[in-house]
Coordinates of all heavy atoms in Angstrom, one line a residue:
M80 N 6.4 32.1 17.1 CA 7.1 31.3 16.2 C 7.1 29.8 16.6 O 7.0 28.9 15.8 CB 8.6 31.7 16.2 CG 9.4 31.0 15.1 SD 10.9 31.9 14.7 CE 12.1 30.9 15.5
L81 N 7.0 29.5 17.9 CA 6.9 28.1 18.4 C 5.6 27.7 18.9 O 5.4 26.7 19.5 CB 8.0 27.9 19.5 CG 9.4 28.0 19.1 CD1 10.4 27.8 20.3 CD2 9.7 27.0 18.0
T82 N 4.5 28.5 18.5 CA 3.2 28.2 18.9 C 2.9 26.8 18.3 O 3.1 26.6 17.1 CB 2.2 29.2 18.4 OG1 2.5 30.5 19.0 CG2 0.8 28.8 18.7
G83 N 2.5 25.9 19.1 CA 2.1 24.6 18.7 C 3.3 23.6 18.8 O 3.1 22.4 18.6
F84 N 4.5 24.1 19.1 CA 5.7 23.2 19.1 C 5.5 22.1 20.2 O 5.7 20.9 20.0 CB 6.9 24.0 19.3 CG 8.2 23.2 19.2 CD1 8.5 22.4 18.1 CD2 9.2 23.2 20.1 CE1 9.6 21.6 17.9 CE2 10.4 22.5 20.0 CZ 10.6 21.7 18.9
Q85 N 5.1 22.6 21.4 CA 5.0 21.7 22.5 C 3.9 20.6 22.2 O 4.1 19.4 22.4 CB 4.6 22.4 23.8 CG 4.6 21.6 25.1 CD 3.2 21.2 25.5 OE1 2.2 21.6 24.9 NE2 3.1 20.5 26.6
E86 N 2.8 21.0 21.7 CA 1.7 20.1 21.3 C 2.2 19.1 20.2 O 1.9 17.9 20.3 CB 0.5 20.9 20.8 CG -0.2 21.7 21.9 CD 0.5 23.0 22.2 OE1 1.5 23.4 21.5 OE2 0.0 23.7 23.1
W87 N 2.9 19.6 19.3 CA 3.5 18.7 18.2 C 4.4 17.7 18.8 O 4.4 16.5 18.4 CB 4.2 19.6 17.2 CG 4.7 18.9 16.0 CD1 4.0 18.5 14.9 CD2 6.1 18.6 15.8 NE1 4.9 17.9 14.0 CE2 6.1 18.0 14.5 CE3 7.2 18.7 16.5 CZ2 7.3 17.5 13.9 CZ3 8.4 18.3 15.9 CH2 8.5 17.7 14.7
L88 N 5.2 18.1 19.8 CA 6.2 17.2 20.4 C 5.4 16.1 21.2 O 5.8 14.9 21.2 CB 7.1 17.9 21.3 CG 8.2 18.8 20.6 CD1 8.9 19.7 21.6 CD2 9.1 18.0 19.7
V89 N 4.4 16.5 21.9 CA 3.6 15.6 22.7 C 3.0 14.5 21.9 O 3.1 13.3 22.2 CB 2.5 16.3 23.5 CG1 1.5 15.3 24.1 CG2 3.0 17.2 24.6
V90 N 2.5 14.9 20.7 CA 1.9 13.9 19.8 C 3.0 12.9 19.3 O 2.8 11.7 19.2 CB 1.2 14.6 18.6 CG1 0.8 13.5 17.6 CG2 0.0 15.3 19.1
R91 N 4.2 13.5 19.0 CA 5.3 12.6 18.6 C 5.7 11.6 19.7 O 6.0 10.5 19.4 CB 6.5 13.5 18.1 CG 6.2 14.2 16.8 CD 7.4 15.0 16.4 NE 8.5 14.2 16.0 CZ 8.8 13.9 14.7 NH1 8.1 14.4 13.7 NH2 9.9 13.1 14.5
L92 N 5.8 12.1 20.9 CA 6.2 11.3 22.0 C 5.1 10.4 22.5 O 5.4 9.3 23.0 CB 6.7 12.2 23.1 CG 7.3 11.5 24.4 CD1 8.6 10.7 24.0 CD2 7.7 12.6 25.4
G93 N 3.9 10.8 22.4 CA 2.8 10.0 22.9 C 2.5 10.2 24.3 O 1.7 9.4 24.9
R94 N 3.1 11.2 25.0 CA 2.9 11.5 26.4 C 3.6 12.8 26.7 O 4.2 13.4 25.8 CB 3.5 10.4 27.3 CG 5.0 10.1 27.1 CD 5.5 8.9 27.9 NE 6.8 8.6 27.5 CZ 8.0 9.0 28.0 NH1 7.9 9.9 28.9 NH2 9.1 8.6 27.5
G95 N 3.5 13.3 27.9 CA 4.2 14.5 28.3 C 3.4 15.8 28.1 O 4.0 16.8 28.0
H96 N 2.1 15.7 28.1 CA 1.3 17.0 27.9 C 1.6 18.0 29.0 O 1.4 19.2 28.8 CB -0.2 16.6 27.9 CG -0.7 16.3 29.2 ND1 -0.5 15.1 29.8 CD2 -1.4 17.1 30.1 CE1 -1.1 15.1 31.0 NE2 -1.7 16.3 31.2
D97 N 2.1 17.6 30.1 CA 2.4 18.5 31.2 C 3.9 18.9 31.3 O 4.3 19.5 32.2 CB 2.0 17.8 32.5 CG 2.7 16.5 32.8 OD1 3.2 15.9 31.8 OD2 2.6 16.0 33.9
L98 N 4.6 18.6 30.2 CA 6.1 19.0 30.2 C 6.3 20.1 29.2 O 5.6 20.3 28.2 CB 6.9 17.8 29.7 CG 6.9 16.5 30.6 CD1 7.7 15.4 30.0 CD2 7.4 16.8 32.0
A99 N 7.3 21.0 29.5 CA 7.7 22.0 28.6 C 8.5 21.4 27.5 O 9.0 20.3 27.6 CB 8.5 23.0 29.4
W100 N 8.5 22.1 26.4 CA 9.2 21.6 25.2 C 10.6 21.2 25.4 O 11.1 20.2 24.8 CB 8.9 22.4 23.9 CG 9.6 23.8 23.9 CD1 9.0 25.0 24.1 CD2 11.0 24.0 23.5 NE1 10.0 26.0 24.0 CE2 11.1 25.4 23.6 CE3 12.0 23.2 23.2 CZ2 12.4 26.0 23.4 CZ3 13.3 23.9 22.9 CH2 13.4 25.2 23.0
P101 N 11.4 21.9 26.2 CA 12.8 21.4 26.3 C 12.9 20.0 26.9 O 13.8 19.2 26.5 CB 13.5 22.5 27.3 CG 12.7 23.7 27.0 CD 11.3 23.2 26.8
L102 N 12.0 19.7 27.8 CA 12.0 18.4 28.4 C 11.5 17.3 27.4 O 12.0 16.2 27.4 CB 11.1 18.3 29.7 CG 11.6 19.2 30.8 CD1 10.7 19.2 32.0 CD2 13.0 18.8 31.3
L103 N 10.5 17.7 26.6 CA 10.0 16.8 25.6 C 11.2 16.5 24.6 O 11.3 15.3 24.2 CB 8.8 17.4 24.9 CG 7.6 17.5 25.7 CD1 6.6 18.4 25.1 CD2 7.0 16.1 26.0
V104 N 12.0 17.5 24.2 CA 13.1 17.2 23.3 C 14.0 16.2 23.9 O 14.5 15.3 23.3 CB 13.8 18.5 23.0 CG1 15.1 18.3 22.2 CG2 12.9 19.4 22.1
R105 N 14.3 16.4 25.2 CA 15.2 15.4 25.9 C 14.7 14.0 25.9 O 15.4 13.0 25.7 CB 15.6 15.9 27.3 CG 16.5 17.1 27.2 CD 17.2 17.5 28.5 NE 17.8 16.4 29.2 CZ 18.1 16.4 30.5 NH1 17.7 17.4 31.2 NH2 18.7 15.4 31.1
H106 N 13.4 13.9 26.1 CA 12.7 12.6 26.0 C 12.8 12.0 24.6 O 12.8 10.8 24.5 CB 11.3 12.6 26.5 CG 11.2 12.7 28.0 ND1 11.4 11.6 28.8 CD2 10.9 13.7 28.9 CE1 11.3 12.0 30.1 NE2 10.9 13.2 30.1
L107 N 12.7 12.8 23.6 CA 12.8 12.4 22.2 C 14.2 12.1 21.7 O 14.4 11.6 20.6 CB 12.0 13.4 21.3 CG 10.5 13.4 21.4 CD1 9.9 14.6 20.9 CD2 9.9 12.1 20.8
T108 N 15.2 12.5 22.5 CA 16.6 12.3 22.1 C 16.9 10.8 22.1 O 16.5 10.1 23.1 CB 17.5 13.1 23.0 OG1 17.2 14.5 22.9 CG2 18.9 12.9 22.7
P109 N 17.6 10.3 21.1 CA 18.1 8.9 21.2 C 18.7 8.6 22.5 O 19.6 9.4 23.0 CB 19.1 8.8 20.0 CG 18.6 9.8 19.1 CD 18.1 11.0 19.9
G110 N 18.3 7.5 23.2 CA 18.8 7.2 24.5 C 17.9 7.7 25.6 O 18.0 7.4 26.7
G111 N 16.9 8.6 25.2 CA 15.9 9.1 26.1 C 16.5 10.0 27.1 O 17.5 10.6 27.0
W112 N 15.7 10.2 28.2 CA 16.0 11.1 29.3 C 17.3 10.5 30.0 O 17.3 9.4 30.4 CB 14.9 11.1 30.3 CG 15.1 12.0 31.4 CD1 15.6 11.6 32.6 CD2 15.0 13.4 31.5 NE1 15.8 12.7 33.5 CE2 15.4 13.8 32.8 CE3 14.5 14.4 30.7 CZ2 15.3 15.1 33.2 CZ3 14.4 15.7 31.1 CH2 14.9 16.0 32.4
T113 N 18.2 11.4 30.2 CA 19.4 11.1 31.1 C 19.6 12.1 32.1 O 19.5 13.3 31.8 CB 20.7 10.9 30.2 OG1 20.9 12.2 29.5 CG2 20.6 9.8 29.2
H114 N 19.9 11.7 33.3 CA 20.2 12.6 34.4 C 21.3 12.0 35.2 O 21.2 10.9 35.6 CB 19.0 12.9 35.2 CG 19.2 13.9 36.3 ND1 19.3 15.3 36.0 CD2 19.5 13.8 37.6 CE1 19.5 15.9 37.1 NE2 19.6 15.1 38.1
P115 N 22.4 12.8 35.5 CA 22.6 14.1 35.0 C 23.0 14.1 33.5 O 23.4 13.1 33.0 CB 23.8 14.6 35.9 CG 24.5 13.3 36.2 CD 23.5 12.2 36.3
L116 N 22.8 15.3 32.9 CA 23.1 15.4 31.5 C 24.6 15.4 31.2 O 25.3 16.3 31.7 CB 22.4 16.8 31.0 CG 22.4 17.0 29.5 CD1 21.5 15.9 28.9 CD2 21.8 18.4 29.2
T117 N 25.0 14.4 30.5 CA 26.4 14.3 30.2 C 26.7 15.2 28.9 O 25.8 15.6 28.2 CB 26.8 12.9 29.9 OG1 26.1 12.5 28.7 CG2 26.5 12.0 31.0
K118 N 28.0 15.4 28.6 CA 28.3 16.1 27.4 C 27.8 15.4 26.1 O 27.3 16.1 25.2 CB 29.9 16.3 27.3 CG 30.4 17.3 28.2 CD 31.9 17.4 28.0 CE 32.5 18.4 29.0 NZ 33.9 18.7 28.8
Q119 N 27.9 14.1 26.1 CA 27.4 13.4 25.0 C 25.8 13.5 24.9 O 25.3 13.7 23.8 CB 27.8 11.9 25.1 CG 29.3 11.6 25.0 CD 30.0 11.8 26.3 OE1 29.4 12.0 27.3 NE2 31.3 11.8 26.2
A120 N 25.2 13.4 26.0 CA 23.7 13.5 26.0 C 23.3 14.9 25.6 O 22.3 15.1 24.9 CB 23.1 13.1 27.3
D121 N 24.0 15.9 26.1 CA 23.7 17.3 25.7 C 23.9 17.5 24.2 O 23.0 18.1 23.6 CB 24.6 18.2 26.5 CG 24.3 19.7 26.3 OD1 23.1 20.0 26.3 OD2 25.2 20.5 26.0
A122 N 25.0 17.0 23.6 CA 25.2 17.1 22.2 C 24.1 16.4 21.4 O 23.6 16.9 20.4 CB 26.6 16.6 21.8
A123 N 23.7 15.2 21.9 CA 22.6 14.5 21.2 C 21.3 15.3 21.3 O 20.5 15.3 20.3 CB 22.5 13.1 21.8
A124 N 21.0 15.9 22.4 CA 19.8 16.7 22.6 C 19.8 17.9 21.7 O 18.7 18.2 21.1 CB 19.6 17.1 24.1
V125 N 20.9 18.5 21.5 CA 21.0 19.7 20.6 C 20.8 19.3 19.1 O 20.0 19.9 18.4 CB 22.4 20.4 20.7 CG1 22.6 21.5 19.6 CG2 22.5 21.1 22.1
I126 N 21.4 18.2 18.8 CA 21.1 17.6 17.4 C 19.7 17.3 17.2 O 19.1 17.6 16.2 CB 22.1 16.4 17.1 CG1 23.5 16.9 17.1 CG2 21.6 15.7 15.9 CD1 24.5 15.8 17.1
T127 N 19.1 16.6 18.2 CA 17.7 16.3 18.2 C 16.8 17.5 18.1 O 15.8 17.6 17.3 CB 17.3 15.4 19.4 OG1 18.1 14.2 19.4 CG2 15.8 15.1 19.4
L128 N 17.1 18.6 18.8 CA 16.4 19.8 18.8 C 16.4 20.4 17.4 O 15.3 20.8 16.8 CB 16.9 20.8 19.8 CG 16.3 22.2 19.7 CD1 14.8 22.2 19.9 CD2 17.0 23.2 20.7
H129 N 17.5 20.4 16.8 CA 17.6 21.0 15.4 C 16.8 20.2 14.4 O 16.1 20.7 13.6 CB 19.1 21.0 14.9 CG 19.9 22.1 15.6 ND1 21.2 22.2 15.6 CD2 19.5 23.1 16.4 CE1 21.6 23.2 16.3 NE2 20.6 23.8 16.8
R130 N 16.9 18.8 14.5 CA 16.1 18.0 13.6 C 14.6 18.2 13.9 O 13.8 18.3 12.9 CB 16.4 16.5 13.9 CG 15.7 15.5 13.0 CD 16.0 14.1 13.3 NE 16.0 13.7 14.7 CZ 14.8 13.4 15.4 NH1 13.7 13.5 14.7 NH2 14.8 13.1 16.6
L131 N 14.2 18.2 15.1 CA 12.8 18.4 15.4 C 12.3 19.8 15.0 O 11.1 19.9 14.4 CB 12.5 18.3 16.9 CG 12.7 16.8 17.5 CD1 12.7 16.8 19.0 CD2 11.5 16.0 17.0
L132 N 13.1 20.8 15.2 CA 12.6 22.2 14.7 C 12.5 22.2 13.2 O 11.5 22.7 12.6 CB 13.6 23.2 15.1 CG 13.6 23.6 16.6 CD1 14.7 24.5 16.9 CD2 12.2 24.3 16.9
R133 N 13.4 21.5 12.4 CA 13.3 21.4 11.0 C 12.0 20.7 10.6 O 11.2 21.2 9.8 CB 14.5 20.7 10.4 CG 14.5 20.5 8.9 CD 15.4 19.5 8.4 NE 14.9 18.2 8.9 CZ 15.7 17.2 9.3 NH1 17.0 17.3 9.2 NH2 15.2 16.0 9.7
D134 N 11.7 19.6 11.2 CA 10.5 18.9 10.9 C 9.2 19.7 11.3 O 8.3 19.7 10.6 CB 10.5 17.5 11.6 CG 11.6 16.6 11.2 OD1 12.2 16.9 10.1 OD2 11.8 15.6 11.8
Y135 N 9.3 20.3 12.5 CA 8.2 21.1 12.9 C 7.9 22.3 11.9 O 6.7 22.5 11.5 CB 8.4 21.7 14.3 CG 7.5 22.8 14.7 CD1 6.2 22.5 15.1 CD2 7.9 24.1 14.8 CE1 5.3 23.5 15.5 CE2 7.0 25.1 15.1 CZ 5.7 24.8 15.5 OH 4.9 25.8 15.9
F136 N 8.9 23.0 11.5 CA 8.7 24.1 10.6 C 8.2 23.7 9.3 O 7.5 24.4 8.6 CB 9.9 25.0 10.5 CG 10.1 25.9 11.7 CD1 11.3 25.8 12.4 CD2 9.1 26.7 12.2 CE1 11.5 26.6 13.6 CE2 9.3 27.5 13.3 CZ 10.5 27.4 14.0
T137 N 8.6 22.5 8.8 CA 8.1 21.9 7.6 C 6.6 21.7 7.7 O 5.8 22.1 6.8 CB 8.8 20.6 7.3 OG1 10.2 20.8 7.1 CG2 8.2 19.9 6.0
V138 N 6.1 21.2 8.8 CA 4.7 21.0 9.0 C 4.0 22.4 9.2 O 3.0 22.6 8.6 CB 4.4 20.1 10.2 CG1 2.9 20.1 10.6 CG2 4.9 18.7 10.0
R139 N 4.6 23.2 10.0 CA 4.0 24.5 10.3 C 3.8 25.4 9.1 O 2.9 26.2 9.0 CB 4.9 25.2 11.4 CG 4.5 26.6 11.8 CD 3.3 26.5 12.8 NE 2.7 27.8 12.9 CZ 3.0 28.7 13.8 NH1 4.0 28.4 14.7 NH2 2.5 29.9 13.9
E140 N 4.7 25.3 8.1 CA 4.7 26.2 6.9 C 3.5 25.8 6.0 O 3.2 26.6 5.1 CB 6.0 26.1 6.2 CG 7.1 26.8 6.9 CD 8.5 26.6 6.3 OE1 8.6 25.9 5.3 OE2 9.5 27.2 6.8
R141 N 2.9 24.7 6.1 CA 1.8 24.3 5.3 C 0.6 25.3 5.6 O 0.5 25.8 6.7 CB 1.4 22.9 5.5 CG 2.4 21.9 5.1 CD 2.0 20.5 5.4 NE 3.1 19.6 5.3 CZ 3.3 18.5 6.0 NH1 2.4 18.1 6.9 NH2 4.3 17.7 5.7
S142 N -0.2 25.4 4.6 CA -1.4 26.4 4.8 C -2.2 26.0 6.0 O -2.8 26.9 6.6 CB -2.2 26.5 3.5 OG -2.8 25.2 3.2
D143 N -2.4 24.7 6.3 CA -3.2 24.3 7.4 C -2.3 23.7 8.5 O -2.8 23.0 9.4 CB -4.2 23.3 7.0 CG -3.6 22.0 6.5 OD1 -2.4 22.0 6.2 OD2 -4.3 20.9 6.5
G144 N -1.0 24.1 8.5 CA -0.1 23.5 9.4 C -0.4 23.6 10.9 O -0.4 22.6 11.6
L145 N -0.6 24.9 11.3 CA -0.9 25.1 12.7 C -2.2 24.4 13.1 O -2.3 23.8 14.2 CB -0.9 26.6 13.1 CG -1.0 26.9 14.5 CD1 0.2 26.3 15.3 CD2 -0.9 28.4 14.7
A146 N -3.2 24.6 12.3 CA -4.5 23.9 12.6 C -4.4 22.4 12.7 O -4.9 21.8 13.6 CB -5.6 24.3 11.5
R147 N -3.6 21.8 11.8 CA -3.4 20.4 11.8 C -2.7 20.0 13.1 O -3.0 18.9 13.7 CB -2.6 20.0 10.6 CG -2.1 18.6 10.5 CD -3.2 17.5 10.5 NE -4.4 17.8 9.8 CZ -5.6 17.2 10.0 NH1 -5.8 16.4 11.0 NH2 -6.6 17.5 9.3
I148 N -1.7 20.8 13.5 CA -1.0 20.4 14.8 C -1.9 20.4 15.9 O -1.9 19.4 16.7 CB 0.1 21.5 15.0 CG1 1.3 21.3 14.0 CG2 0.6 21.4 16.5 CD1 2.3 22.4 14.0
F149 N -2.8 21.4 16.0 CA -3.7 21.4 17.2 C -4.8 20.3 17.0 O -5.3 19.8 18.0 CB -4.3 22.8 17.4 CG -3.4 23.7 18.1 CD1 -2.8 24.7 17.4 CD2 -3.0 23.5 19.4 CE1 -1.8 25.6 18.0 CE2 -2.1 24.3 20.0 CZ -1.5 25.4 19.3
L150 N -5.3 20.0 15.8 CA -6.2 18.9 15.6 C -5.6 17.6 16.0 O -6.3 16.8 16.6 CB -6.7 18.9 14.2 CG -7.7 20.0 13.8 CD1 -8.0 20.0 12.3 CD2 -9.0 19.8 14.5
D151 N -4.4 17.4 15.6 CA -3.7 16.1 16.0 C -3.5 16.1 17.5 O -3.7 15.0 18.1 CB -2.3 16.0 15.3 CG -2.4 15.8 13.8 OD1 -3.5 15.5 13.3 OD2 -1.3 16.0 13.2
Y152 N -3.2 17.2 18.1 CA -3.1 17.2 19.6 C -4.4 16.9 20.3 O -4.5 16.1 21.2 CB -2.5 18.6 20.0 CG -2.3 18.7 21.5 CD1 -1.4 17.9 22.2 CD2 -3.1 19.6 22.3 CE1 -1.2 18.0 23.6 CE2 -2.9 19.7 23.6 CZ -1.9 18.9 24.3 OH -1.8 19.0 25.6
Q153 N -5.5 17.5 19.8 CA -6.8 17.2 20.3 C -7.2 15.8 20.1 O -7.7 15.1 21.1 CB -7.9 18.1 19.7 CG -9.2 17.9 20.3 CD -10.3 18.8 19.6 OE1 -10.1 19.3 18.5 NE2 -11.4 19.0 20.3
S154 N -6.9 15.2 19.0 CA -7.2 13.8 18.7 C -6.4 12.9 19.7 O -6.9 11.9 20.2 CB -6.8 13.5 17.3 OG -7.7 14.1 16.4
W155 N -5.2 13.3 20.0 CA -4.4 12.5 21.0 C -5.0 12.7 22.3 O -5.1 11.7 23.1 CB -2.9 13.0 20.9 CG -2.1 12.4 22.0 CD1 -1.5 11.2 22.0 CD2 -1.9 13.0 23.3 NE1 -0.9 11.0 23.2 CE2 -1.1 12.0 24.0 CE3 -2.2 14.1 24.0 CZ2 -0.7 12.2 25.3 CZ3 -1.8 14.4 25.3 CH2 -1.0 13.4 25.9
M156 N -5.3 13.9 22.7 CA -5.9 14.1 24.1 C -7.1 13.3 24.4 O -7.2 12.7 25.4 CB -6.2 15.6 24.3 CG -5.0 16.4 24.7 SD -5.3 18.0 25.4 CE -6.8 18.6 24.6
V157 N -8.0 13.2 23.4 CA -9.3 12.5 23.7 C -9.1 11.0 23.9 O -10.0 10.4 24.3 CB -10.4 12.9 22.6 CG1 -10.7 14.3 22.6 CG2 -10.0 12.3 21.3
T158 N -7.9 10.5 23.5 CA -7.7 9.1 23.7 C -7.1 8.8 25.1 O -6.9 7.7 25.5 CB -6.7 8.6 22.7 OG1 -5.4 9.2 22.8 CG2 -7.2 8.8 21.2
Q159 N -6.8 9.9 25.9 CA -6.2 9.7 27.2 C -7.2 9.5 28.2 O -8.3 10.1 28.2 CB -5.3 10.9 27.5 CG -4.3 11.3 26.5 CD -3.4 10.1 26.1 OE1 -2.7 9.6 27.0 NE2 -3.4 9.8 24.8
D160 N -7.0 8.5 29.1 CA -7.9 8.2 30.2 C -8.2 9.4 31.1 O -9.3 9.5 31.6 CB -7.3 7.1 31.1 CG -7.3 5.8 30.3 OD1 -8.0 5.6 29.4 OD2 -6.4 4.9 30.8
W161 N -7.3 10.3 31.3 CA -7.4 11.4 32.2 C -8.2 12.6 31.6 O -8.7 13.5 32.3 CB -6.1 11.9 32.7 CG -5.1 12.2 31.6 CD1 -4.1 11.4 31.2 CD2 -5.1 13.3 30.7 NE1 -3.5 11.9 30.1 CE2 -4.0 13.1 29.8 CE3 -5.8 14.5 30.6 CZ2 -3.7 14.0 28.8 CZ3 -5.5 15.4 29.6 CH2 -4.4 15.2 28.7
F162 N -8.4 12.5 30.3 CA -9.1 13.7 29.6 C -10.6 13.6 29.7 O -11.2 12.6 29.4 CB -8.7 13.7 28.1 CG -9.2 14.9 27.4 CD1 -8.7 16.1 27.5 CD2 -10.3 14.8 26.5 CE1 -9.2 17.2 26.9 CE2 -10.8 15.8 25.8 CZ -10.2 17.1 26.0
Q163 N -11.2 14.7 30.1 CA -12.6 14.8 30.2 C -13.1 16.1 29.5 O -12.6 17.2 29.8 CB -13.1 15.0 31.7 CG -12.8 13.8 32.5 CD -13.8 12.7 32.3 OE1 -14.9 12.9 32.0 NE2 -13.4 11.4 32.5
L164 N -13.9 15.9 28.5 CA -14.4 17.1 27.8 C -15.8 17.3 28.3 O -16.8 16.7 27.9 CB -14.4 16.9 26.3 CG -14.9 18.0 25.4 CD1 -14.0 19.2 25.6 CD2 -14.9 17.6 23.9
D165 N -15.9 18.2 29.3 CA -17.2 18.6 29.9 C -17.9 19.6 29.0 O -17.3 20.6 28.6 CB -17.0 19.1 31.3 CG -16.5 18.0 32.2 OD1 -16.8 16.8 32.0 OD2 -15.7 18.3 33.1
A166 N -19.2 19.4 28.9 CA -20.0 20.5 28.2 C -20.0 21.7 29.1 O -20.2 21.6 30.2 CB -21.4 19.9 27.9
A167 N -19.8 22.8 28.4 CA -19.9 24.1 29.2 C -21.3 24.3 29.7 O -22.3 24.0 29.0 CB -19.4 25.2 28.3
E168 N -21.4 24.8 30.9 CA -22.7 25.1 31.5 C -23.2 26.4 30.8 O -22.4 27.4 30.6 CB -22.6 25.3 33.0 CG -22.3 24.0 33.7 CD -22.3 24.1 35.2 OE1 -23.0 25.0 35.7 OE2 -21.6 23.4 35.8
P169 N -24.5 26.5 30.5 CA -25.0 27.8 30.0 C -24.9 28.9 31.0 O -25.0 28.7 32.2 CB -26.5 27.4 29.6 CG -26.8 26.2 30.3 CD -25.5 25.5 30.7
A170 N -24.6 30.1 30.5 CA -24.6 31.2 31.3 C -25.9 31.5 31.9 O -27.0 31.3 31.3 CB -24.1 32.5 30.5
P171 N -26.0 32.1 33.2 CA -27.2 32.4 33.8 C -28.0 33.3 32.9 O -27.5 34.3 32.4 CB -26.8 33.0 35.1 CG -25.4 32.6 35.4 CD -24.8 32.4 34.0
G172 N -29.3 33.1 32.8 CA -30.2 33.9 32.0 C -30.2 33.6 30.6 O -30.8 34.4 29.8
S173 N -29.5 32.6 30.1 CA -29.4 32.3 28.7 C -30.6 31.4 28.3 O -31.1 30.6 29.0 CB -28.2 31.5 28.3 OG -27.0 32.1 28.7

């Protein structure tokens, strides 16, 4: 059900490919990352999660939604300095 959610969040945030989606949600919460998590920040994160899930499912429900999410993620990745798309080596005997 949440396949592509982390990738979709990364594109929205513009960073965080190495973070799990709960952390990405906290970074996307108004006020950004807070530690320790206060009651107000927790409530804001929950509200943000609900909003993000609504938006994500709107995109995901389109006929090409999941494909578009991964294409957008790939487009974001290739713009990153750390990303290297190496050509696969041919299998021995090919």
Side-chain angles (χ1 to χ4, degrees):
M80 189 162 105
L81 292 178
T82 299
F84 187 54
Q85 186 259 359
E86 293 80 4
W87 183 79
L88 292 172
V89 167
V90 172
R91 288 181 70 101
L92 184 60
R94 59 187 168 88
H96 73 284
D97 56 344
L98 299 176
W100 68 260
L102 296 174
L103 292 165
V104 169
R105 287 194 50 202
H106 282 285
L107 286 162
T108 299
W112 178 268
T113 57
H114 184 77
L116 190 60
T117 64
K118 286 184 180 183
Q119 294 83 6
D121 185 45
V125 169
I126 291 167
T127 299
L128 173 61
H129 288 166
R130 180 182 51 79
L131 290 168
L132 284 170
R133 181 197 64 217
D134 295 349
Y135 166 75
F136 285 125
T137 297
V138 171
R139 178 78 195 270
E140 288 172 357
R141 297 178 189 148
S142 60
D143 66 342
L145 189 57
R147 173 59 41 206
I148 288 168
F149 282 109
L150 284 171
D151 290 346
Y152 181 66
Q153 181 181 20
S154 294
W155 173 83
M156 279 196 327
V157 298
T158 66
Q159 305 307 301
D160 292 336
W161 50 262
F162 183 76
Q163 296 281 329
L164 183 60
D165 295 329
E168 293 183 27
S173 307

